[in-house]
Amino acid sequence: MAHGNSRYLCNMTDMTQNQISPMFEGLVSNLSWAQMTEDNTKPDSATEKYLQTIASRMKHSGHQMSVMDDPDGIPAGYTYLLQFIFHDLTRSRIFNSAPSHNQGLNNTASASNLNSPQLDLDTLYGGGIEVTPGLYERHRKGAAARYRFRMGKLGPAKASLGILAHGSNTCPYDLARITDTVDDAAGHSPSGGGIDPIISDWRNDTHLLLSQILVLFMHVHNKVADAIADSGEKPENIFRLTRQFIVRSYRYIIVNDVMRRIIDGHVHERFFGGNQIMEDGTTETISHSAEFIFAVSRIGHGMVRNQYPVNSLFLNDKGIIEAGFIDNILTFSSFNKMLSSSNPALSQKLPVPQNWIVDWRLFFKLDQTKPAYAQRISPLLAPRLTSARFDNFATGEAVQKSIPYLDMERCIRFRLPTGQQIAAKLGVDILSSSDMRAVNIPFGGDEDKRQLDLALDSVPNFRDETPLSYYVLQEAALAGNNGVHLGPVGSEIVARTITDALKCSTETHNIGIFDANEFETAKSEKAINTMKKFIDLLSMDSGKLADLVRASTDGAEKARFVRLKRGQEFAE
């Protein structure tokens, strides 16, 4: 797979400023309240002030948004599973660089997708054992084919927390990390344990919860690979069989579990209900829309909690202890400077300590244990996200802008259609200027909403010409079952993106063919189609697991290549 190849451009090769959207062709925003600088690289000072004013008020002040017990909500683990999935779909240089003079999204060098656009887990597997062998353990017999991920040792336990008993719902590993042996270019001596991770996509080490999601997938892969090896399979076949099984299960989980939770039920049935129009052929170039990459894929920011019960040591009779604040969780990262803490004194050491590993029962519904639930989606974000300092990883520049600011700023800089424009195109209810008031959010603190409304009122026409990243948050709060899932616009864009990503080509390693039968299989009891079933693989008997893998992959290898034809037209 050639990452960065032009076939993975976000449909931007021939774009002009009047045609920047592959999903909603011809729709661009001409905001009356926003202007760019003369060189077209950033908003002008007045627009920047507007965005800073609104972004600074996009927060809640209490814990009422992040309760432990929310039976109608989404378990908290799906916030970071979504982030992992979106990393699998797209990795754009645009996030680390400004567009060239007067080019905007027409700068294809910046817009190119460094990942494949399919749901093939290249964010986990990289180029596989041949292209990126360093991700995988050497075979115990030396020259035989590799098939297991390298795993990292945990660091010493934090004395203030106590000792954690490991079980099947935890993965007693960190990412494998490089331990430096010589002074670096700046003359600094090695500080002890490894920091830089040995992984395909470094974005998956931006914080503890995401790196532990990656560890979980690696751990399940190794469990499956060991089961196949124990069954007598030839070493050269083990990686291929394991990868096919993991990717197919991952796709089933997305269709049957993740999408059922995050998008509107009617939209889910229309896209994933099994009535898709199919046709032969796999040559169509697959790419993802600017609306998804730069706006709707940021929805997870609306789901982030203030605190997390990382494992049982983080809970007492009063709830989650102070160590579980998101500030602490974000500092376990090789990207420590990318999301710098509002409290610079906070600094955690890598590798991850033994008593900081995630107990997945507290993040997904696995047994009778009550998980923590994601924050309901709205423009009222966890305070941490409005106070964070974002550094440009590519240049080392301290941009000093918050996440909600950057989400809105990209919508303006790349002239994405407003939420109202897309709602009109789809023929769904358009949120009115009155609907866009924060006071209409059916949860959260009254004072928080009042302060946000004051900020919105200070920007002329913002509530009529709303950046897409903000609009989908408000829409979810009002039309997504009180913020449990996305509303019509957000659901449509996510569903179309995932449907496109399920298309197969000869460049997806012949892994998992998604045709009409696969939609039915994804819903079957036998399929590994929920996170509970996926995590339960860790405790499955080795012989039964090997039989399960063979039954799954035998069907995949006999399937013919097909591609999905977009059968869901705009409701015009």
PDB file of all heavy atoms in Angstrom, residues 442-476:
ATOM      1  N   PRO A 442     -31.107  20.825  26.209  1.00  0.00           N
ATOM      2  CA  PRO A 442     -31.955  20.304  27.288  1.00  0.00           C
ATOM      3  C   PRO A 442     -31.200  19.720  28.469  1.00  0.00           C
ATOM      4  O   PRO A 442     -31.768  18.980  29.259  1.00  0.00           O
ATOM      5  CB  PRO A 442     -32.769  19.212  26.565  1.00  0.00           C
ATOM      6  CG  PRO A 442     -31.888  18.748  25.470  1.00  0.00           C
ATOM      7  CD  PRO A 442     -31.109  19.953  25.021  1.00  0.00           C
ATOM      8  N   PHE A 443     -29.936  20.028  28.616  1.00  0.00           N
ATOM      9  CA  PHE A 443     -29.147  19.571  29.763  1.00  0.00           C
ATOM     10  C   PHE A 443     -28.023  20.577  29.974  1.00  0.00           C
ATOM     11  O   PHE A 443     -27.821  21.486  29.163  1.00  0.00           O
ATOM     12  CB  PHE A 443     -28.587  18.157  29.521  1.00  0.00           C
ATOM     13  CG  PHE A 443     -27.944  17.976  28.174  1.00  0.00           C
ATOM     14  CD1 PHE A 443     -26.608  18.290  27.960  1.00  0.00           C
ATOM     15  CD2 PHE A 443     -28.677  17.504  27.092  1.00  0.00           C
ATOM     16  CE1 PHE A 443     -26.019  18.137  26.721  1.00  0.00           C
ATOM     17  CE2 PHE A 443     -28.106  17.343  25.842  1.00  0.00           C
ATOM     18  CZ  PHE A 443     -26.767  17.656  25.660  1.00  0.00           C
ATOM     19  N   GLY A 444     -27.287  20.446  31.055  1.00  0.00           N
ATOM     20  CA  GLY A 444     -26.220  21.389  31.352  1.00  0.00           C
ATOM     21  C   GLY A 444     -26.686  22.524  32.243  1.00  0.00           C
ATOM     22  O   GLY A 444     -27.881  22.700  32.506  1.00  0.00           O
ATOM     23  N   GLY A 445     -25.737  23.315  32.720  1.00  0.00           N
ATOM     24  CA  GLY A 445     -26.024  24.391  33.657  1.00  0.00           C
ATOM     25  C   GLY A 445     -26.595  25.627  32.990  1.00  0.00           C
ATOM     26  O   GLY A 445     -26.161  26.008  31.899  1.00  0.00           O
ATOM     27  N   ASP A 446     -27.544  26.259  33.639  1.00  0.00           N
ATOM     28  CA  ASP A 446     -28.182  27.458  33.076  1.00  0.00           C
ATOM     29  C   ASP A 446     -27.184  28.583  32.864  1.00  0.00           C
ATOM     30  O   ASP A 446     -27.239  29.288  31.843  1.00  0.00           O
ATOM     31  CB  ASP A 446     -29.315  27.935  33.989  1.00  0.00           C
ATOM     32  CG  ASP A 446     -30.488  26.978  33.999  1.00  0.00           C
ATOM     33  OD1 ASP A 446     -30.599  26.162  33.057  1.00  0.00           O
ATOM     34  OD2 ASP A 446     -31.300  27.037  34.950  1.00  0.00           O
ATOM     35  N   GLU A 447     -26.271  28.777  33.803  1.00  0.00           N
ATOM     36  CA  GLU A 447     -25.308  29.873  33.680  1.00  0.00           C
ATOM     37  C   GLU A 447     -24.337  29.607  32.535  1.00  0.00           C
ATOM     38  O   GLU A 447     -23.950  30.541  31.808  1.00  0.00           O
ATOM     39  CB  GLU A 447     -24.541  30.072  34.989  1.00  0.00           C
ATOM     40  CG  GLU A 447     -23.516  31.197  34.973  1.00  0.00           C
ATOM     41  CD  GLU A 447     -24.116  32.579  34.663  1.00  0.00           C
ATOM     42  OE1 GLU A 447     -25.346  32.756  34.821  1.00  0.00           O
ATOM     43  OE2 GLU A 447     -23.346  33.475  34.273  1.00  0.00           O
ATOM     44  N   ASP A 448     -23.934  28.356  32.364  1.00  0.00           N
ATOM     45  CA  ASP A 448     -23.048  28.020  31.242  1.00  0.00           C
ATOM     46  C   ASP A 448     -23.724  28.357  29.915  1.00  0.00           C
ATOM     47  O   ASP A 448     -23.100  28.926  29.011  1.00  0.00           O
ATOM     48  CB  ASP A 448     -22.697  26.528  31.269  1.00  0.00           C
ATOM     49  CG  ASP A 448     -21.905  26.134  32.500  1.00  0.00           C
ATOM     50  OD1 ASP A 448     -21.177  26.988  33.019  1.00  0.00           O
ATOM     51  OD2 ASP A 448     -22.011  24.967  32.921  1.00  0.00           O
ATOM     52  N   LYS A 449     -25.003  28.036  29.797  1.00  0.00           N
ATOM     53  CA  LYS A 449     -25.727  28.305  28.552  1.00  0.00           C
ATOM     54  C   LYS A 449     -25.940  29.801  28.360  1.00  0.00           C
ATOM     55  O   LYS A 449     -25.879  30.303  27.229  1.00  0.00           O
ATOM     56  CB  LYS A 449     -27.051  27.540  28.564  1.00  0.00           C
ATOM     57  CG  LYS A 449     -26.865  26.026  28.440  1.00  0.00           C
ATOM     58  CD  LYS A 449     -28.159  25.267  28.373  1.00  0.00           C
ATOM     59  CE  LYS A 449     -28.795  25.043  29.711  1.00  0.00           C
ATOM     60  NZ  LYS A 449     -29.944  24.102  29.651  1.00  0.00           N
ATOM     61  N   ARG A 450     -26.173  30.508  29.440  1.00  0.00           N
ATOM     62  CA  ARG A 450     -26.348  31.960  29.341  1.00  0.00           C
ATOM     63  C   ARG A 450     -25.074  32.628  28.833  1.00  0.00           C
ATOM     64  O   ARG A 450     -25.112  33.511  27.960  1.00  0.00           O
ATOM     65  CB  ARG A 450     -26.737  32.542  30.694  1.00  0.00           C
ATOM     66  CG  ARG A 450     -27.190  34.007  30.629  1.00  0.00           C
ATOM     67  CD  ARG A 450     -27.502  34.547  32.010  1.00  0.00           C
ATOM     68  NE  ARG A 450     -26.292  34.801  32.772  1.00  0.00           N
ATOM     69  CZ  ARG A 450     -25.564  35.928  32.664  1.00  0.00           C
ATOM     70  NH1 ARG A 450     -25.938  36.887  31.812  1.00  0.00           N
ATOM     71  NH2 ARG A 450     -24.486  36.083  33.367  1.00  0.00           N
ATOM     72  N   GLN A 451     -23.928  32.207  29.372  1.00  0.00           N
ATOM     73  CA  GLN A 451     -22.657  32.783  28.952  1.00  0.00           C
ATOM     74  C   GLN A 451     -22.361  32.473  27.484  1.00  0.00           C
ATOM     75  O   GLN A 451     -21.867  33.336  26.744  1.00  0.00           O
ATOM     76  CB  GLN A 451     -21.520  32.246  29.839  1.00  0.00           C
ATOM     77  CG  GLN A 451     -21.541  32.752  31.273  1.00  0.00           C
ATOM     78  CD  GLN A 451     -21.284  34.252  31.350  1.00  0.00           C
ATOM     79  OE1 GLN A 451     -20.532  34.832  30.546  1.00  0.00           O
ATOM     80  NE2 GLN A 451     -21.917  34.904  32.315  1.00  0.00           N
ATOM     81  N   LEU A 452     -22.694  31.261  27.045  1.00  0.00           N
ATOM     82  CA  LEU A 452     -22.471  30.910  25.650  1.00  0.00           C
ATOM     83  C   LEU A 452     -23.386  31.730  24.736  1.00  0.00           C
ATOM     84  O   LEU A 452     -22.957  32.204  23.669  1.00  0.00           O
ATOM     85  CB  LEU A 452     -22.693  29.409  25.431  1.00  0.00           C
ATOM     86  CG  LEU A 452     -22.517  28.894  23.996  1.00  0.00           C
ATOM     87  CD1 LEU A 452     -21.182  29.299  23.399  1.00  0.00           C
ATOM     88  CD2 LEU A 452     -22.683  27.372  23.957  1.00  0.00           C
ATOM     89  N   ASP A 453     -24.633  31.932  25.145  1.00  0.00           N
ATOM     90  CA  ASP A 453     -25.541  32.750  24.329  1.00  0.00           C
ATOM     91  C   ASP A 453     -25.052  34.188  24.206  1.00  0.00           C
ATOM     92  O   ASP A 453     -25.184  34.813  23.144  1.00  0.00           O
ATOM     93  CB  ASP A 453     -26.953  32.722  24.923  1.00  0.00           C
ATOM     94  CG  ASP A 453     -27.775  31.549  24.409  1.00  0.00           C
ATOM     95  OD1 ASP A 453     -27.474  31.056  23.309  1.00  0.00           O
ATOM     96  OD2 ASP A 453     -28.703  31.125  25.124  1.00  0.00           O
ATOM     97  N   LEU A 454     -24.486  34.726  25.269  1.00  0.00           N
ATOM     98  CA  LEU A 454     -23.924  36.070  25.185  1.00  0.00           C
ATOM     99  C   LEU A 454     -22.821  36.129  24.134  1.00  0.00           C
ATOM    100  O   LEU A 454     -22.717  37.103  23.373  1.00  0.00           O
ATOM    101  CB  LEU A 454     -23.379  36.499  26.554  1.00  0.00           C
ATOM    102  CG  LEU A 454     -24.415  36.806  27.640  1.00  0.00           C
ATOM    103  CD1 LEU A 454     -23.718  37.085  28.980  1.00  0.00           C
ATOM    104  CD2 LEU A 454     -25.279  38.007  27.243  1.00  0.00           C
ATOM    105  N   ALA A 455     -22.000  35.085  24.091  1.00  0.00           N
ATOM    106  CA  ALA A 455     -20.929  35.043  23.095  1.00  0.00           C
ATOM    107  C   ALA A 455     -21.505  34.914  21.684  1.00  0.00           C
ATOM    108  O   ALA A 455     -21.052  35.606  20.754  1.00  0.00           O
ATOM    109  CB  ALA A 455     -19.988  33.876  23.396  1.00  0.00           C
ATOM    110  N   LEU A 456     -22.508  34.071  21.501  1.00  0.00           N
ATOM    111  CA  LEU A 456     -23.115  33.902  20.182  1.00  0.00           C
ATOM    112  C   LEU A 456     -23.766  35.194  19.709  1.00  0.00           C
ATOM    113  O   LEU A 456     -23.677  35.564  18.524  1.00  0.00           O
ATOM    114  CB  LEU A 456     -24.160  32.777  20.217  1.00  0.00           C
ATOM    115  CG  LEU A 456     -23.671  31.369  20.562  1.00  0.00           C
ATOM    116  CD1 LEU A 456     -24.844  30.390  20.548  1.00  0.00           C
ATOM    117  CD2 LEU A 456     -22.591  30.909  19.594  1.00  0.00           C
ATOM    118  N   ASP A 457     -24.427  35.889  20.621  1.00  0.00           N
ATOM    119  CA  ASP A 457     -25.106  37.137  20.259  1.00  0.00           C
ATOM    120  C   ASP A 457     -24.133  38.236  19.859  1.00  0.00           C
ATOM    121  O   ASP A 457     -24.512  39.186  19.166  1.00  0.00           O
ATOM    122  CB  ASP A 457     -25.968  37.622  21.433  1.00  0.00           C
ATOM    123  CG  ASP A 457     -27.167  36.720  21.680  1.00  0.00           C
ATOM    124  OD1 ASP A 457     -27.512  35.943  20.778  1.00  0.00           O
ATOM    125  OD2 ASP A 457     -27.745  36.797  22.787  1.00  0.00           O
ATOM    126  N   SER A 458     -22.867  38.095  20.299  1.00  0.00           N
ATOM    127  CA  SER A 458     -21.873  39.131  19.980  1.00  0.00           C
ATOM    128  C   SER A 458     -21.322  38.991  18.562  1.00  0.00           C
ATOM    129  O   SER A 458     -20.598  39.871  18.087  1.00  0.00           O
ATOM    130  CB  SER A 458     -20.713  39.073  20.987  1.00  0.00           C
ATOM    131  OG  SER A 458     -19.918  37.922  20.782  1.00  0.00           O
ATOM    132  N   VAL A 459     -21.661  37.894  17.889  1.00  0.00           N
ATOM    133  CA  VAL A 459     -21.156  37.657  16.529  1.00  0.00           C
ATOM    134  C   VAL A 459     -22.326  37.761  15.559  1.00  0.00           C
ATOM    135  O   VAL A 459     -23.194  36.882  15.531  1.00  0.00           O
ATOM    136  CB  VAL A 459     -20.494  36.268  16.413  1.00  0.00           C
ATOM    137  CG1 VAL A 459     -19.961  36.051  15.001  1.00  0.00           C
ATOM    138  CG2 VAL A 459     -19.371  36.127  17.439  1.00  0.00           C
ATOM    139  N   PRO A 460     -22.393  38.804  14.761  1.00  0.00           N
ATOM    140  CA  PRO A 460     -23.540  38.996  13.864  1.00  0.00           C
ATOM    141  C   PRO A 460     -23.728  37.805  12.917  1.00  0.00           C
ATOM    142  O   PRO A 460     -22.783  37.361  12.267  1.00  0.00           O
ATOM    143  CB  PRO A 460     -23.161  40.261  13.079  1.00  0.00           C
ATOM    144  CG  PRO A 460     -22.119  40.938  13.906  1.00  0.00           C
ATOM    145  CD  PRO A 460     -21.379  39.866  14.617  1.00  0.00           C
ATOM    146  N   ASN A 461     -24.940  37.273  12.895  1.00  0.00           N
ATOM    147  CA  ASN A 461     -25.339  36.222  11.950  1.00  0.00           C
ATOM    148  C   ASN A 461     -24.719  34.853  12.208  1.00  0.00           C
ATOM    149  O   ASN A 461     -24.907  33.935  11.407  1.00  0.00           O
ATOM    150  CB  ASN A 461     -25.037  36.634  10.500  1.00  0.00           C
ATOM    151  CG  ASN A 461     -25.816  37.862  10.089  1.00  0.00           C
ATOM    152  OD1 ASN A 461     -26.975  38.041  10.468  1.00  0.00           O
ATOM    153  ND2 ASN A 461     -25.169  38.739   9.337  1.00  0.00           N
ATOM    154  N   PHE A 462     -24.001  34.672  13.320  1.00  0.00           N
ATOM    155  CA  PHE A 462     -23.405  33.355  13.585  1.00  0.00           C
ATOM    156  C   PHE A 462     -24.487  32.285  13.672  1.00  0.00           C
ATOM    157  O   PHE A 462     -24.301  31.165  13.182  1.00  0.00           O
ATOM    158  CB  PHE A 462     -22.593  33.385  14.888  1.00  0.00           C
ATOM    159  CG  PHE A 462     -21.929  32.068  15.235  1.00  0.00           C
ATOM    160  CD1 PHE A 462     -20.636  31.806  14.816  1.00  0.00           C
ATOM    161  CD2 PHE A 462     -22.597  31.084  15.964  1.00  0.00           C
ATOM    162  CE1 PHE A 462     -20.016  30.597  15.110  1.00  0.00           C
ATOM    163  CE2 PHE A 462     -21.992  29.872  16.270  1.00  0.00           C
ATOM    164  CZ  PHE A 462     -20.702  29.630  15.844  1.00  0.00           C
ATOM    165  N   ARG A 463     -25.614  32.612  14.286  1.00  0.00           N
ATOM    166  CA  ARG A 463     -26.671  31.604  14.489  1.00  0.00           C
ATOM    167  C   ARG A 463     -27.434  31.302  13.197  1.00  0.00           C
ATOM    168  O   ARG A 463     -28.205  30.345  13.160  1.00  0.00           O
ATOM    169  CB  ARG A 463     -27.614  32.066  15.604  1.00  0.00           C
ATOM    170  CG  ARG A 463     -26.945  32.032  16.971  1.00  0.00           C
ATOM    171  CD  ARG A 463     -27.892  32.282  18.132  1.00  0.00           C
ATOM    172  NE  ARG A 463     -28.182  33.698  18.301  1.00  0.00           N
ATOM    173  CZ  ARG A 463     -29.356  34.259  18.031  1.00  0.00           C
ATOM    174  NH1 ARG A 463     -30.354  33.532  17.556  1.00  0.00           N
ATOM    175  NH2 ARG A 463     -29.541  35.551  18.212  1.00  0.00           N
ATOM    176  N   ASP A 464     -27.210  32.093  12.152  1.00  0.00           N
ATOM    177  CA  ASP A 464     -27.803  31.821  10.838  1.00  0.00           C
ATOM    178  C   ASP A 464     -26.793  31.239   9.856  1.00  0.00           C
ATOM    179  O   ASP A 464     -27.184  30.593   8.877  1.00  0.00           O
ATOM    180  CB  ASP A 464     -28.371  33.108  10.232  1.00  0.00           C
ATOM    181  CG  ASP A 464     -29.524  33.655  11.064  1.00  0.00           C
ATOM    182  OD1 ASP A 464     -30.505  32.915  11.269  1.00  0.00           O
ATOM    183  OD2 ASP A 464     -29.417  34.809  11.516  1.00  0.00           O
ATOM    184  N   GLU A 465     -25.519  31.490  10.106  1.00  0.00           N
ATOM    185  CA  GLU A 465     -24.436  31.022   9.232  1.00  0.00           C
ATOM    186  C   GLU A 465     -23.408  30.334  10.126  1.00  0.00           C
ATOM    187  O   GLU A 465     -22.373  30.895  10.476  1.00  0.00           O
ATOM    188  CB  GLU A 465     -23.798  32.196   8.494  1.00  0.00           C
ATOM    189  CG  GLU A 465     -24.776  33.019   7.670  1.00  0.00           C
ATOM    190  CD  GLU A 465     -24.159  34.307   7.156  1.00  0.00           C
ATOM    191  OE1 GLU A 465     -22.985  34.607   7.506  1.00  0.00           O
ATOM    192  OE2 GLU A 465     -24.829  35.029   6.407  1.00  0.00           O
ATOM    193  N   THR A 466     -23.699  29.106  10.489  1.00  0.00           N
ATOM    194  CA  THR A 466     -22.960  28.441  11.557  1.00  0.00           C
ATOM    195  C   THR A 466     -21.931  27.468  11.012  1.00  0.00           C
ATOM    196  O   THR A 466     -22.270  26.608  10.174  1.00  0.00           O
ATOM    197  CB  THR A 466     -23.931  27.664  12.469  1.00  0.00           C
ATOM    198  OG1 THR A 466     -25.002  28.538  12.859  1.00  0.00           O
ATOM    199  CG2 THR A 466     -23.217  27.148  13.698  1.00  0.00           C
ATOM    200  N   PRO A 467     -20.670  27.575  11.440  1.00  0.00           N
ATOM    201  CA  PRO A 467     -19.664  26.585  11.020  1.00  0.00           C
ATOM    202  C   PRO A 467     -20.159  25.166  11.286  1.00  0.00           C
ATOM    203  O   PRO A 467     -20.786  24.891  12.310  1.00  0.00           O
ATOM    204  CB  PRO A 467     -18.447  26.935  11.883  1.00  0.00           C
ATOM    205  CG  PRO A 467     -18.620  28.392  12.200  1.00  0.00           C
ATOM    206  CD  PRO A 467     -20.092  28.599  12.340  1.00  0.00           C
ATOM    207  N   LEU A 468     -19.882  24.274  10.364  1.00  0.00           N
ATOM    208  CA  LEU A 468     -20.417  22.917  10.435  1.00  0.00           C
ATOM    209  C   LEU A 468     -20.025  22.201  11.723  1.00  0.00           C
ATOM    210  O   LEU A 468     -20.834  21.467  12.299  1.00  0.00           O
ATOM    211  CB  LEU A 468     -19.943  22.118   9.216  1.00  0.00           C
ATOM    212  CG  LEU A 468     -20.424  20.678   9.087  1.00  0.00           C
ATOM    213  CD1 LEU A 468     -21.947  20.611   9.067  1.00  0.00           C
ATOM    214  CD2 LEU A 468     -19.833  20.040   7.828  1.00  0.00           C
ATOM    215  N   SER A 469     -18.804  22.413  12.195  1.00  0.00           N
ATOM    216  CA  SER A 469     -18.349  21.725  13.408  1.00  0.00           C
ATOM    217  C   SER A 469     -19.202  22.101  14.617  1.00  0.00           C
ATOM    218  O   SER A 469     -19.454  21.265  15.495  1.00  0.00           O
ATOM    219  CB  SER A 469     -16.874  22.028  13.687  1.00  0.00           C
ATOM    220  OG  SER A 469     -16.685  23.409  13.961  1.00  0.00           O
ATOM    221  N   TYR A 470     -19.651  23.367  14.674  1.00  0.00           N
ATOM    222  CA  TYR A 470     -20.510  23.808  15.775  1.00  0.00           C
ATOM    223  C   TYR A 470     -21.940  23.337  15.543  1.00  0.00           C
ATOM    224  O   TYR A 470     -22.622  22.879  16.475  1.00  0.00           O
ATOM    225  CB  TYR A 470     -20.474  25.333  15.891  1.00  0.00           C
ATOM    226  CG  TYR A 470     -21.197  25.873  17.119  1.00  0.00           C
ATOM    227  CD1 TYR A 470     -20.478  26.265  18.245  1.00  0.00           C
ATOM    228  CD2 TYR A 470     -22.590  25.973  17.170  1.00  0.00           C
ATOM    229  CE1 TYR A 470     -21.129  26.749  19.376  1.00  0.00           C
ATOM    230  CE2 TYR A 470     -23.247  26.441  18.287  1.00  0.00           C
ATOM    231  CZ  TYR A 470     -22.509  26.832  19.389  1.00  0.00           C
ATOM    232  OH  TYR A 470     -23.166  27.296  20.511  1.00  0.00           O
ATOM    233  N   TYR A 471     -22.411  23.429  14.320  1.00  0.00           N
ATOM    234  CA  TYR A 471     -23.806  23.095  14.012  1.00  0.00           C
ATOM    235  C   TYR A 471     -24.139  21.659  14.397  1.00  0.00           C
ATOM    236  O   TYR A 471     -25.200  21.398  14.979  1.00  0.00           O
ATOM    237  CB  TYR A 471     -24.062  23.306  12.515  1.00  0.00           C
ATOM    238  CG  TYR A 471     -25.504  23.121  12.093  1.00  0.00           C
ATOM    239  CD1 TYR A 471     -26.382  24.198  12.020  1.00  0.00           C
ATOM    240  CD2 TYR A 471     -26.000  21.850  11.738  1.00  0.00           C
ATOM    241  CE1 TYR A 471     -27.700  24.033  11.615  1.00  0.00           C
ATOM    242  CE2 TYR A 471     -27.309  21.676  11.340  1.00  0.00           C
ATOM    243  CZ  TYR A 471     -28.157  22.769  11.283  1.00  0.00           C
ATOM    244  OH  TYR A 471     -29.473  22.594  10.899  1.00  0.00           O
ATOM    245  N   VAL A 472     -23.249  20.703  14.080  1.00  0.00           N
ATOM    246  CA  VAL A 472     -23.579  19.302  14.365  1.00  0.00           C
ATOM    247  C   VAL A 472     -23.625  19.027  15.869  1.00  0.00           C
ATOM    248  O   VAL A 472     -24.339  18.132  16.321  1.00  0.00           O
ATOM    249  CB  VAL A 472     -22.599  18.341  13.668  1.00  0.00           C
ATOM    250  CG1 VAL A 472     -22.743  18.421  12.163  1.00  0.00           C
ATOM    251  CG2 VAL A 472     -21.168  18.573  14.099  1.00  0.00           C
ATOM    252  N   LEU A 473     -22.898  19.809  16.670  1.00  0.00           N
ATOM    253  CA  LEU A 473     -22.983  19.668  18.130  1.00  0.00           C
ATOM    254  C   LEU A 473     -24.341  20.136  18.629  1.00  0.00           C
ATOM    255  O   LEU A 473     -24.989  19.465  19.446  1.00  0.00           O
ATOM    256  CB  LEU A 473     -21.864  20.467  18.804  1.00  0.00           C
ATOM    257  CG  LEU A 473     -20.424  20.026  18.546  1.00  0.00           C
ATOM    258  CD1 LEU A 473     -19.446  21.008  19.198  1.00  0.00           C
ATOM    259  CD2 LEU A 473     -20.171  18.609  19.062  1.00  0.00           C
ATOM    260  N   GLN A 474     -24.787  21.315  18.157  1.00  0.00           N
ATOM    261  CA  GLN A 474     -26.096  21.834  18.569  1.00  0.00           C
ATOM    262  C   GLN A 474     -27.214  20.931  18.059  1.00  0.00           C
ATOM    263  O   GLN A 474     -28.193  20.667  18.766  1.00  0.00           O
ATOM    264  CB  GLN A 474     -26.279  23.259  18.033  1.00  0.00           C
ATOM    265  CG  GLN A 474     -27.587  23.940  18.439  1.00  0.00           C
ATOM    266  CD  GLN A 474     -27.590  24.433  19.881  1.00  0.00           C
ATOM    267  OE1 GLN A 474     -26.591  24.296  20.604  1.00  0.00           O
ATOM    268  NE2 GLN A 474     -28.694  25.004  20.323  1.00  0.00           N
ATOM    269  N   GLU A 475     -27.079  20.447  16.826  1.00  0.00           N
ATOM    270  CA  GLU A 475     -28.091  19.580  16.252  1.00  0.00           C
ATOM    271  C   GLU A 475     -28.231  18.288  17.050  1.00  0.00           C
ATOM    272  O   GLU A 475     -29.338  17.788  17.273  1.00  0.00           O
ATOM    273  CB  GLU A 475     -27.730  19.257  14.798  1.00  0.00           C
ATOM    274  CG  GLU A 475     -28.779  18.409  14.081  1.00  0.00           C
ATOM    275  CD  GLU A 475     -28.267  17.887  12.764  1.00  0.00           C
ATOM    276  OE1 GLU A 475     -27.186  17.250  12.739  1.00  0.00           O
ATOM    277  OE2 GLU A 475     -28.954  18.101  11.738  1.00  0.00           O
ATOM    278  N   ALA A 476     -27.115  17.730  17.510  1.00  0.00           N
ATOM    279  CA  ALA A 476     -27.172  16.507  18.315  1.00  0.00           C
ATOM    280  C   ALA A 476     -27.907  16.752  19.629  1.00  0.00           C
ATOM    281  O   ALA A 476     -28.706  15.921  20.079  1.00  0.00           O
ATOM    282  CB  ALA A 476     -25.756  15.995  18.589  1.00  0.00           C
TER     283      ALA A 476
END
